Amino acid sequence: MRVTLNFDEPLGLETPLLVLPVFKGEHALTGAAAAADRRLGGAFSRARGAGDFRGDPGDSLLFYGAESAQGGPGRFLFVGVGERDELDAEGVRQLAGRAVRGAESRSLTSLVLHLPSELPARPVLAVQVAAEGGILAAWDYRELRSGLGEEDPVSEDPRHPLVDALVLSTSAERKGSERALSIGVAFAEGENLARLLQNRPGNVATPSHLAEVALGVAREYGFTSHVLGKKELEDEGMRALLAVSAGSEEEPRLIVLEHHGGEKGDPPLALVGKGITFDSGGISIKPGLGMEEMKFDMSGAAAVLGAMQAIGALRLPLNVVAVVPSAENLLSGRATKPGDIVRARSGKTIEIINTDAEGRLVLADALSYVIEHYAPKVVVDCATLTGACLIALGNHASAVLGNDEGVIAELREAGARAGERCWPLPLWKEYRKQLESTVADLKNVGGRAAGTITAAWFLAEFVGETPWAHLDIAGTAYGDVHAPYHRKGGFGRPTRLLLEWLHARAG
Ligand code: BES
Ligand code: MN
Ligand code: ZN
């Protein structure tokens, strides 16, 4: 979708739909909403007076413009945005999402959204987040559905054509708005790339497919790239990653992208994303019900690749290295078995108690790889790592754990700004005992108690002293609808959390 800015009077615009936010509980309408109401002969005021519109987020009321020589919008959609002093960036993102879905549900492919100057969020921030909400809301995963071509009549499918043009009408300052727009566009398009990869099924989005997409991004933005196949992984001694891949016919990959936007020689920030393209559990096979959702077990990888696309598009002045360990966790006569002991790249031996705890195995090798080869300033990994995280925090926050309180604090703030919150769990040393093995250096599971914490402790064993934080996104990466700019399936989280963090680091 294309997003553009308009700095003139929105009532003069030729558009099938003008969306006007209205605060709750305010007696007098102001600005564009007041002008629109006058244009409608006071119809909206009368509806408010009658109690048909309270202004809660999600409330909406549609009017048709009079046919006249005046021209202007064909429809006026008033949308509630709640109390004036409670509206934040996420509220504006959701407003834009509702606006776009309001167009989509009426089979309109373009609209104007007015961002009044009274928005408490900094006016240019409103431009960034409205672009994000709009672009995210317009996106849908349709590439494998037949009969959704452009000529197909809408009546044959419950889904409508996608909105392809959004105009943000703002009175904010022009230069700052343009910069904010380019940030919002890059962030949301990065998140949509993550969603595309997430939603692709396991028979399409294989490890080699993720590598091809990553190489495409690298070519487009001039990243240095390396893809390690089975042979190179053996040479690197990445036997924990290979152990996960052993039961599958699909070859594993280690994908590495380098963005050199910072000072030469400045140590990079490292992003690591779990790329299990399907997690059957392996020999410790999962129950069948809902197993199809395990195509989303590469959501961490998707977010990292989506973030890299945006980093490239914005030419962030940072050095960033992205590493994606990717494999399929299946079962066969060659699969790794419970009780097997493997030596990870770092030299540590791991007793594999449960082959379904595979994410930490592939991440262990990726973490030691990136730390040894790049000596990064900070490492952040994200992974759909534990079902326990979903139990602990539900769908509304990722868990964040690590060895550096400063980095954890930065990620929490970035998540709050992005509307992709994360919340800390403790990595106290007492939990480490649960991983002790009698036959190897450590076990790959630590029992039922505190599963998210013991999984993070396992990763910590392969990180050492490098400042590091881990995001467990098992509850947040995908699901049924949460925000007006989500749909069922992959949400693309935490792509924008990573981007907000990097953007703040870039200064
Ligand atoms: N990919 C799963 C975690 C997961 C579960 C993500 C549900 C999203 C929704 C991971 O590989 C896994 O299977 N973890 C096990 C670990 C256990 C064997 C210690 C789990 O959480 O059950
Ligand atoms: Mn698993
Ligand atoms: Zn998994």
Side-chain angles (χ1 to χ4, degrees), residues 72-142:
R75 298 170 186 77
F76 296 85
L77 183 66
F78 295 86
V79 174
V81 286
E83 304 282 352
R84 179 183 294 266
D85 50 9
E86 284 172 20
L87 183 64
D88 56 9
E90 180 59 14
V92 177
R93 240 177 243 118
Q94 299 200 2
L95 162 69
R98 290 197 177 93
V100 165
R101 294 287 167 82
E104 184 187 287
S105 66
R106 294 174 176 89
S107 294
L108 305 173
T109 56
S110 68
L111 73 152
V112 177
L113 169 61
H114 182 58
L115 298 173
S117 54
E118 314 93 75
L119 279 185
R122 281 188 295 121
V124 304
L125 178 64
V127 171
Q128 178 195 326
V129 298
E132 289 174 8
I135 292 168
L136 293 168
W139 191 87
D140 195 9
Y141 181 68
R142 295 188 171 183

Side-chain angles (χ1 to χ4, degrees), residues 274 276 278-281 286 294 297 329 356-360 384-386:
K274 172 179 173 182
I276 298 297
F278 186 73
D279 181 13
S280 70
K286 289 181 179 293
M294 284 299 121
D297 213 20
N329 188 21
D356 199 8
E358 84 299 337
R360 61 197 75 183
T384 46
L385 204 61
T386 64

Side-chain angles (χ1 to χ4, degrees), residues 34-222:
D37 185 46
R38 280 196 297 279
R39 174 82 61 92
L40 294 167
F44 177 62
S45 298
R46 288 196 297 283
R48 277 214 310 173
D52 288 0
F53 182 100
R54 292 162 46 86
D56 288 311
D59 281 0
S60 71
L61 215 48
L62 181 78
F63 297 89
Y64 286 81
E67 222 181 313
S68 77
Q70 277 179 305
R75 298 170 186 77
F76 296 85
L77 183 66
F78 295 86
V79 174
V81 286
E83 304 282 352
R84 179 183 294 266
D85 50 9
E86 284 172 20
L87 183 64
D88 56 9
E90 180 59 14
V92 177
R93 240 177 243 118
Q94 299 200 2
L95 162 69
R98 290 197 177 93
V100 165
R101 294 287 167 82
E104 184 187 287
S105 66
R106 294 174 176 89
S107 294
L108 305 173
T109 56
S110 68
L111 73 152
V112 177
L113 169 61
H114 182 58
L115 298 173
S117 54
E118 314 93 75
L119 279 185
R122 281 188 295 121
V124 304
L125 178 64
V127 171
Q128 178 195 326
V129 298
E132 289 174 8
I135 292 168
L136 293 168
W139 191 87
D140 195 9
Y141 181 68
R142 295 188 171 183
E143 67 181 359
L144 296 179
R145 287 280 309 250
S146 309
L148 286 174
E150 294 191 352
E151 329 75 60
D152 290 321
V154 169
S155 58
E156 282 180 13
D157 193 279
R159 285 178 296 178
H160 302 276
L162 296 177
V163 175
D164 59 19
L166 168 64
V167 178
L168 298 175
S169 174
T170 176
S171 51
E173 170 255 325
R174 186 181 286 263
K175 265 241 123 26
S177 295
E178 280 163 3
R179 177 75 193 139
L181 177 64
S182 66
I183 294 168
V185 169
F187 281 20
E189 287 181 348
E191 189 146 307
N192 281 344
L193 172 63
R195 291 167 161 190
L196 177 68
L197 296 174
Q198 283 184 290
N199 284 303
R200 282 185 175 158
N203 60 331
V204 174
T206 57
S208 51
H209 177 81
L210 292 187
E212 276 167 35
V213 172
L215 290 177
V217 173
R219 257 193 308 278
E220 185 156 356
Y221 299 105

Side-chain angles (χ1 to χ4, degrees), residues 182-413:
S182 66
I183 294 168
V185 169
F187 281 20
E189 287 181 348
E191 189 146 307
N192 281 344
L193 172 63
R195 291 167 161 190
L196 177 68
L197 296 174
Q198 283 184 290
N199 284 303
R200 282 185 175 158
N203 60 331
V204 174
T206 57
S208 51
H209 177 81
L210 292 187
E212 276 167 35
V213 172
L215 290 177
V217 173
R219 257 193 308 278
E220 185 156 356
Y221 299 105
F223 300 152
T224 306
S225 57
H226 312 277
V227 174
L228 281 60
K230 195 160 179 232
K231 170 77 176 53
E232 293 85 2
L233 292 169
E234 276 161 6
D235 295 345
E236 267 287 329
M238 300 182 83
R239 283 190 285 257
L241 169 52
L242 288 163
V244 172
S245 173
S248 169
E249 299 284 323
E250 287 291 340
E251 270 204 24
R253 293 284 183 269
L254 186 85
I255 304 163
V256 185
L257 300 180
E258 301 169 22
H259 166 70
H260 298 273
E263 298 290 328
K264 209 171 148 70
D266 193 20
L269 301 171
L271 303 177
V272 178
K274 172 179 173 182
I276 298 297
T277 58
F278 186 73
D279 181 13
S280 70
I283 297 294
S284 314
I285 193 167
K286 289 181 179 293
L289 193 70
M291 205 205 273
E292 70 284 355
E293 292 193 346
M294 284 299 121
K295 74 171 185 177
F296 293 120
D297 213 20
M298 34 59 72
S299 295
V304 165
L305 295 177
M308 288 305 283
Q309 175 183 282
I311 290 164
L314 292 169
R315 301 169 191 263
L316 283 193
L318 290 173
N319 295 329
V320 182
V321 57
V323 177
V324 167
S326 185
E328 191 177 57
N329 188 21
L330 286 190
L331 50 166
S332 75
R334 294 190 190 284
T336 298
K337 305 172 294 299
D340 287 359
I341 298 176
V342 299
R343 190 180 296 278
R345 184 186 173 286
S346 76
K348 286 191 180 168
T349 55
I350 304 166
E351 182 187 6
I352 296 180
I353 300 296
N354 188 322
T355 63
D356 199 8
E358 84 299 337
R360 61 197 75 183
L361 297 173
V362 304
L363 289 169
D365 278 350
L367 289 166
S368 85
Y369 177 94
V370 75
I371 288 168
E372 209 170 299
H373 285 287
Y374 291 89
K377 211 180 290 177
V378 182
V379 184
V380 174
D381 79 79
C382 54
T384 46
L385 204 61
T386 64
C389 185
L390 178 65
I391 303 303
L393 293 171
N395 305 120
H396 302 293
S398 305
V400 59
L401 308 95
N403 62 9
D404 188 299
E405 291 304 322
V407 175
I408 290 170
E410 286 172 22
L411 291 173
R412 289 181 65 184
E413 285 158 22

